Amino acid sequence: MQVNIYQVDAFTTKVFKGNPAAVCPLNAWLSDGLLQQIAEENNLSETAFFVPTEKGFHLRWFTPVEEVDLCGHGALANAFVIFNHLQYAKSEISFTTFSGELIVKKRSWSANGFSKYRA
């Protein structure tokens, strides 16, 4: 099994600044235990996992010790990966989460990087 992992620094355009999150695109859900082990190994405040759905993506976040219901910088980090590394063609992403639906819209670029995505 191979899981791609992107480390994204949210809210900055500078390396080693901002708020880091790991982003792991998946084709299907792995066990909760394995997701937790991956997050523990990453040892960042949050590791986000997503799978594609008919409407968009199902998104979950894990800290090194537990799953959490919501993570703002993790949601934006996922949008960054989907738009910029997975070449998502639409201008809006719908995430289904345990906290409800999150919509991220791509806007024009701004100097602080992540403000080009609006949740």
Side-chain angles (χ1 to χ4, degrees):
M1 172 191 59
Q2 178 178 334
V3 175
N4 291 325
I5 299 174
Y6 298 86
Q7 184 169 329
V8 178
D9 293 325
F11 309 120
T12 187
T13 56
K14 298 180 180 167
V15 176
F16 307 121
K17 301 290 183 189
N19 199 352
V23 176
C24 302
L26 302 171
N27 292 320
W29 287 116
L30 305 173
S31 72
D32 289 359
L34 186 52
L35 296 176
Q36 186 62 63
Q37 288 177 317
I38 293 168
E40 183 178 351
E41 178 74 16
N42 286 332
N43 201 31
L44 295 170
S45 62
E46 274 82 22
T47 297
F49 301 91
F50 67 86
V51 297
T53 66
E54 287 183 23
K55 189 175 178 184
F57 300 90
H58 186 204
L59 174 58
R60 296 170 69 184
W61 301 274
F62 287 77
T63 72
V65 297
E66 66 183 348
E67 184 171 11
V68 295
D69 291 338
L70 184 63
C71 176
H73 77 284
L76 294 177
N78 274 275
F80 179 85
V81 169
I82 292 168
F83 282 131
N84 294 290
H85 294 284
L86 304 182
Q87 309 308 318
Y88 190 71
K90 298 179 183 177
S91 64
E92 182 175 295
I93 300 171
S94 174
F95 291 113
T96 302
T97 75
F98 290 132
S99 294
E101 182 180 30
L102 299 175
I103 304 292
V104 178
K105 297 179 181 182
K106 189 173 186 177
R107 301 187 319 181
S108 61
W109 189 84
S110 164
N112 68 357
F114 269 85
S115 68
K116 72 180 185 178
Y117 304 107
R118 180 177 175 196

